[in-house]
Amino acid sequence: MNPPILTQKLLDHLQQARQHAEVKGREILACYSSPWDDWEPISAFSTAGQGYAHAFFWAFNDPQLALVGLGQAAELVPQPGQGLVSLQQAWREMLGDALIVGPEKPHLLGGLAFDRQAAVSPLWSSFAYGALVLPEILLIGRRQGSALLLSTRVSARTDCNALCERLLAAVRELASTTRQGPAPTSERNNLLSRCDSLPADCWKAKVADAVDAIGQGRMEKVVLARQVDFEAEQDFSLEATLRYLRQANDSTYLFAIRRGEHCFLGATPERLVRLEGRELYTTALAGSTPRGHGPDEDLYNGNRLLDSAKDRHEHALVVNALKSSLEAHVETLQVPAMPSLHKLPHIQHLQTLVRGRVRPDVDLLTLVDALHPTPAVGGVDKEHAIAYIRDQEGLNRGWYAAPVGWLNSDGNGEFAVALRSALIHGRQAHLFAGCGIVEGSDPEHEYQETCVKLRTMISALMPEPTVDGCGERSVEQHTEVVAGCGT
């Protein structure tokens, strides 16, 4: 990148935006993009992002995409209990007068709360009901190359020279940090305490109650989650955690959203929805079993999952609900007749990849609203299951199991379901895992399944040498319990 050329082009762009603002009598969104040299996404987020109140990280390998957003040029916030149509409209209005120069499109980045009718707990106060942020600085990495996108609001009174210099100073600082390699391996962060949101027996009793409610016909499925809180000797390293997650989970969506002093991050296997033009992609993911200790046991576990009547029933509920939710929004929908296996380091799932073509007037946030919460994280039927979760789970999920992702000015974008995740604040980490409860669910089996799911984040936060065929210690060995704090 040639700084003098960038300086003049950016300044010309800002001055043109100020002229537009004078004519319109209101602020104008100005976006400027240009190619960017090779960069390292995790360094950009964890190092450069420290200087910003808001930072966003996203990485996925198929198609290859990395996004790092820093700062905030604008923010769209949903209202409690309201749909996302208003956010889509506000995004269109913001773009209506926007002055966009360069090859890249402005992006909104962020997420939403799982239940926007529930009160926000103090734990999630920085995240509230959700936020879609237009970052001031966005780095975009694709297989074919990288780009830098600057976004800012310009009014008739903006000092364009000062604004240009401030943005360029941020770019220079960014350039000094984004080309760093992996950080040196740090010493293991020792665990001081662990405390479950509910003792194991109490959580299993809730599962049994849910099975009874299903037997009474109140719903067909409900997902119940657990929260496990950890405290360590030192602050958890966001960079080390993300690097571990990326290395161990190359077929997942890797995300991190920092708001103030809190960061919500994870490696989720579940796509909620992707939209490219009018092509829709979504995934049904339900039914789980652990990986095996070696190829033979792994194959046996996978085949047993494929043959499990209980898991196939749970999976079919998700597939049927996806079809029902999308019916009013698509012209065509392709749904495979049989699920496949999606294998992750600690667990394998039944998976059905769904593809369709949306109607011309359908946008991405409409699809997010229609699909969330899927039966994989909520239940069937949706309204009764969510009401049951709200009344009986005893947990404020915040952004856990909720949509996180991005949306650009062309209407394209992708949201994933925030699973295998943790909320981190200094030395505190709050981990979440849940299971789908259907007729015939066994409370002990469901509890053990949550332990397997928790392993993804426990291993990333407190990695240690391998000791078994799965490449990790058991969750019990990872998480020794302080007296009086659960099991």
Side-chain angles (χ1 to χ4, degrees):
M1 181 179 296
N2 189 321
I5 294 176
L6 174 61
T7 299
Q8 190 57 53
K9 287 186 176 180
L10 179 59
L11 181 58
D12 291 345
H13 179 60
L14 295 176
Q15 290 174 338
Q16 186 179 1
R18 184 175 63 186
Q19 293 172 2
H20 278 256
E22 290 173 350
V23 172
K24 296 288 186 179
R26 56 179 178 272
E27 280 190 331
I28 295 295
L29 175 63
C31 301
Y32 181 91
S33 63
S34 67
W36 184 255
D37 295 336
D38 290 340
W39 60 293
E40 209 290 312
I42 292 178
S43 289
F45 173 81
S46 57
T47 304
Q50 292 178 2
Y52 295 87
H54 302 298
F56 178 96
F57 173 90
W58 174 276
F60 188 56
N61 289 333
D62 184 23
Q64 187 180 72
L65 176 67
L67 299 172
V68 173
L70 306 174
Q72 177 180 306
E75 182 180 63
L76 303 181
V77 177
Q79 297 303 308
Q82 291 187 355
L84 301 180
V85 175
S86 60
L87 294 191
Q88 191 81 53
Q89 181 59 34
W91 181 225
R92 290 195 193 99
E93 291 174 358
M94 188 187 304
L95 295 170
D97 296 325
L99 198 62
I100 302 171
V101 171
E104 297 296 337
K105 306 296 182 183
H107 285 56
L108 291 178
L109 315 171
L112 304 161
F114 175 83
D115 183 357
R116 297 195 300 278
Q117 294 186 30
V120 176
S121 71
L123 182 65
W124 290 96
S125 59
S126 298
F127 292 78
Y129 292 104
L132 297 177
V133 173
L134 175 68
E136 186 172 74
I137 299 176
L138 177 64
L139 288 172
I140 305 171
R142 302 187 185 91
R143 188 170 283 109
Q144 62 269 33
S146 299
L148 168 75
L149 174 64
L150 303 175
S151 299
T152 188
R153 306 298 291 269
V154 177
S155 73
R157 304 178 67 179
T158 295
D159 183 337
C160 292
N161 287 286
L163 177 57
C164 182
E165 180 51 39
R166 183 179 69 78
L167 291 172
L168 290 176
V171 170
R172 288 192 291 269
E173 177 66 22
L174 187 63
S176 70
T177 60
T178 57
R179 296 174 180 85
Q180 298 177 5
T185 302
S186 60
E187 294 184 2
R188 173 175 162 78
N189 195 357
N190 292 318
L191 177 68
L192 293 180
S193 68
R194 160 189 164 158
C195 191
D196 288 26
S197 59
L198 281 175
D201 289 345
C202 294
W203 192 83
K204 293 173 192 176
K206 286 185 176 291
V207 173
D209 291 342
V211 173
D212 288 343
I214 291 168
Q216 295 166 13
R218 294 168 58 184
M219 54 201 166
E220 289 188 80
K221 175 185 177 179
V222 66
V223 177
L224 295 181
R226 298 170 54 207
Q227 176 180 324
V228 184
D229 300 332
F230 293 92
E231 182 177 355
E233 284 185 342
Q234 304 171 11
D235 287 356
F236 289 106
S237 168
L238 299 182
E239 181 168 3
T241 301
L242 287 171
R243 292 196 187 284
Y244 184 97
L245 288 172
R246 183 174 65 178
Q247 182 178 10
N249 302 272
D250 61 357
S251 60
T252 64
Y253 295 88
L254 187 60
F255 68 90
I257 305 166
R258 190 168 58 73
R259 295 180 65 81
E261 297 181 349
H262 291 75
C263 184
F264 180 52
L265 56 79
T268 177
E270 185 168 352
R271 168 188 290 148
L272 180 64
V273 61
R274 179 169 121 223
L275 189 62
E276 294 181 9
R278 290 175 58 194
E279 295 299 309
L280 168 150
Y281 305 84
T282 187
T283 303
L285 199 73
S288 310
T289 195
R291 298 297 302 271
H293 294 255
D296 291 341
E297 183 182 356
D298 195 58
L299 178 64
Y300 172 79
N301 286 355
N303 288 335
R304 185 177 61 179
L305 179 62
L306 287 167
D307 293 337
S308 166
K310 178 260 183 188
D311 289 288
R312 290 290 292 272
H313 170 63
E314 180 184 348
H315 189 80
L317 290 176
V318 176
V319 173
N320 291 336
L322 286 181
K323 292 192 291 187
S324 177
S325 298
L326 292 171
E327 185 178 14
H329 305 295
V330 298
E331 293 178 348
T332 62
L333 201 62
Q334 303 167 26
V335 183
M338 299 286 289
S340 59
L341 290 176
H342 184 49
K343 293 179 179 285
L344 298 165
H346 305 297
I347 197 168
Q348 46 192 320
H349 301 282
L350 293 178
Q351 171 185 262
T352 297
L353 302 177
V354 178
R355 180 172 181 172
R357 184 169 179 81
V358 300
R359 300 182 187 278
D361 59 339
V362 173
D363 54 56
L364 180 56
L365 292 184
T366 295
L367 296 172
V368 170
D369 239 1
L371 290 169
H372 175 76
T374 71
V377 295
V380 179
D381 66 31
K382 183 186 295 189
E383 289 187 7
H384 284 92
I386 297 305
Y388 190 91
I389 291 170
R390 194 178 296 138
D391 293 340
Q392 301 296 326
E393 188 176 64
L395 176 68
N396 189 303
R397 295 189 181 187
W399 286 24
Y400 162 69
V404 295
W406 61 274
L407 165 69
N408 71 16
S409 58
D410 282 342
N412 298 329
E414 185 163 26
F415 282 80
V417 182
L419 305 175
R420 314 295 190 272
S421 53
L423 180 65
I424 297 175
H425 177 209
R427 297 186 298 127
Q428 309 290 328
H430 311 276
L431 281 61
F432 307 89
C435 288
I437 312 303
V438 296
E439 185 176 4
S441 288
D442 174 66
E444 177 62 33
H445 175 84
E446 303 301 334
Y447 180 80
Q448 292 302 324
E449 184 175 317
T450 64
C451 292
V452 173
K453 291 175 176 177
L454 286 167
R455 246 191 240 181
T456 297
M457 285 307 308
I458 292 173
S459 299
L461 291 169
M462 292 167 284
E464 58 183 333
T466 62
V467 296
D468 66 24
C470 292
E472 299 297 337
R473 292 183 184 271
S474 69
V475 69
E476 292 81 7
Q477 291 169 308
H478 265 300
T479 56
E480 295 179 4
V481 183
V482 295
C485 277
T487 59

